[in-house]
Amino acid sequence: MLPYLALAAVLFSAGLFGVLTRRNTLGILMSLELMFNAANINFVTFNKFISPDNMIGQMFAIFVVVVAAAEAVVGMAIVLLIYRNWQGVNVDNMRIMKW
Amino acid sequence: MTEYSFLICLLPLFAFVMIVFFLRWKERVSAGFSIGMILISWVMSVVVLFETFGREIAYEAGYTFIDLPNFILEIGILIDPLTAVMLVVVTTVGACVEIYSVGYMDGDPLFSRFFAYLSLFLFSMLGLVLANNFFMIFIFWELVGLTSYLLIGFWFEKKSAADACKKAFLTTRIGDLGFLVGLFIIGVFIGTFNYQDVFQRVTEGVAAGWLAPGVVTTAAILVFCGAVGKSAQFPLHVWLPDAMEGPTPVSALIHAATMVAAGVYLVARSMHLFAASADASMVVAVIGIITSVLAATIAITQRDIKRILAYSTVSQLGYMIMALGLYGYDTALGHHSPGFYAGTFHLMNHAFFKGLLFLAAGSVIHAVHTNDIFEMGGLLGKMKKTGYAFLIASLSIAGIFPLSGFWSKDEIVASTHGHPVFMILTLLVAFMTAFYMWRLCFVTFFGKPRDQQRFDHAHESPNVMTYPLIFLAILSICAGWVGLPWLSHGFASFAYHGEAYHPHANWVLMGISTVVAVSGIVLAYLMYYKGSISPEKMAARFKTLHKLSYNKWYFDEIYDIILLKPIMALGRFMWTFDVKVIDGLVNGVAWFTILWADIKEWFDTWIIDGAVNGAGWVVCQGARIGRLLQTGSVQFYALFIMAVSVLFTVLKIDLVTGGSIFSGAAIWIIIGVAALSLLSRLVPKSDREVESEE
Amino acid sequence: MVESNVGPVFYILAFLIIASAVMVVSLKNIFHCALALVMCLFSVAGIYILLNAEFLAAAQVLIYVGAVAVLMIFAIMLTTNLASRNIKQVTENALVSVFICALFCLGTIFLLWATPAKIWRYATESLPVDNTAIIGKYLMTEFVLPFEVVSLLLMAAMIGAIVLARKERS
């Protein structure tokens, strides 16, 4: 079981790194997908090795996939909007989260 | 009715309260209510008087006001013949004056207030008369002083009135101080304030020897001080003539008939004290006769009608005081004397005819608008009722048979039996009284008018003013008849002290006093009506005497020099002392305070504020660094959150592992590296922008 | 105790996943990143199969590779004119982020191996073979409410995306 979890950890770290460092908004979204997948791998792993009698782990993974899809759709729409308003998708231009 | 006699004094108080709070805006209603209340009081007083006739011992009722372990103050009433007589006198004159005032004060802007004050005064006076102990009488004593002050200064916008009320208040206060000290002595040495207890203990104490005669003498003289102030006796008589600045009804009620008689009443009431001390009684008698002679000599030359009457009042009060003093002296020595009966009897009669004189004088003043008798003249024809009332009263005060003044004055002369000096002076005063009263009558009502314009303007006063005059005139004639020497149960056997006195007709005395009175009138007739003796020549011949008399023996001036000037000088010295030393001290303290405050201010500015501002500065600088963390970039925030959470996780990792690979030092190295790398993030913005513009 | 040993297939897949993930976050060309993402997602689907989650693997391929990744590529093409140019793609946070992420990764892995085996409470039985059927049953019974909520969520996301991306009329 532990190799799977380790793989998930690496994948999650890579996604985290992407989220924290990518300048491109689309890159951030893709890194987010990586993190979702890392979480999903954990769900499925635990489902198989810890509680195979009920399928809640997989069920959760399925919902995560669905929500990720919805997130991707809305995210893409927002990216389009940002692009339209800032003439670019780099987060460097968007330092508005301060007073 | 006697049980409810406390209402006699409470009804005027009720009128006062009602007027002040509810009726003030309706003048006629105020006056009517006030008169109604005093009339009820009058009826009750008369009933009480008749009930007192049959009673052997005095009626007393009261309740304990303050109960101390060995001292009791009570509030109560005492009805004995003296009280009953005084009640009738006060309510009679009071009712007459209030009715008269409706006419006299008509149109005055403070009409309602006048009646409120009058009611308050009547409450105080009746309370004074009804009181059954020295404590209460002192309270009411001060209350009548207050109302006297208010009423003398009723026209307070007039400076002379304002000065007069101050003078009256302060002068009587000197006497009141003595009275108060006397009360303290009574309280300390005798141990009670109740009249009957005090008198009983005084008699017993002196007889048994536990009460020193000196104490009684001191107490009596000090109590007499109160009477000296209130009854305007020498040397505190100076306020009464000035008090004539008040409205004439006030002069009639307060400064002729009732309040000034309160001193006489007090002496009569405390007669046991004086009867226990011959020395004190002699002081009283001497003061009385000095006052009497002095005031009579002054009255001879005055021109102001009200002042003549005022000095006449002082003189007559001196008469009564003297009679009471001689009675006390004689009684202390074991002799019989008609003095007490004479004094109280004259007090009653005097109240009626002097009240009448003042009211009639007020009527005259009302008609001619001047106080100077030498601007009047021949008014009898124009003012019949007023004039005849005035003449009746003048006859009465002069002591002409069979008017009331004759009987009481006779008894006063009789009470000087055995004291030749007093007798001569008393007869002299009787002569002067007849002279100055008839001088006043002849100048005012007879002869030719001296001021034609004023004479033409004169008119009889309205009925509301003349009816009280007529009523009082009847009393001036008849009131004395209750004390006829031929009556077996006359005044003398009703109001008495010790044992009843039975006067007997002394024909020689009657003859002498009649001769004296008639000669006084004849002299006045010759000088001021017939003109056969020129007043100017008389004045020129007795120049010194005339001057002394005309200037009232220079009492005001003497007081000014020996009392006011030193007091003012002392006051100025005190003022200087105050300004230079006290204020200097105060200012010095203030200066020091300011200096100290300056020091504190410096400390506050530089140390305290420095600390506060320094703290603020530190926070500012810290924030200047700290705000660099707020980049506005979500990614940076996320990084920060992750860094902190990861670091904390790493810090606590040995909880799980028991600390295998991350030893303490390693953890701190990791934290340091993380912090440094976070700080490296804080490069100036411009650098980053240059980089990103690539 | 379920066999938890891993075979060479796992290592190959793990290598693919890690490599493609690193490419996703580090390549300068965003379009190449998207392609690496597709690769990564495929490999994750393989991991699912190794974990006996065949339905999830299929869903992964269909949804992620088929829909999300294509969506990404569309978005890239729609938005950026820098798609093919090689410029710096990371912010100045990179250095600190590398440190933090490495720390996180190593810490987690260390924790995994340091945790005593008994704490995990491994299951004794193995996963049912026909778990796809069980998932179907669950979706229609116990999880019917989340299922419906998720469908609502998808609907809301769709409408929201349309509203957001719609060009405003001027």
Side-chain angles (χ1 to χ4, degrees), chain B residues 138-154:
Chain B
F138 186 74
I139 291 175
F140 286 112
W141 191 264
E142 295 300 335
L143 265 176
V144 291
L146 167 72
T147 45
S148 164
Y149 169 82
L150 291 173
L151 283 165
I152 294 170
F154 187 74

Side-chain angles (χ1 to χ4, degrees), chain B residues 643 657 660-661 677 681 688, chain C residues 88 92-93 96-97 100 110 114:
Chain B
T657 62
S660 54
I661 60 166
S677 43
R681 175 69 180 69
R688 294 202 309 272
Chain C
K88 183 167 175 256
E92 60 272 24
N93 293 338
V96 185
S97 295
I100 293 294
F110 167 76

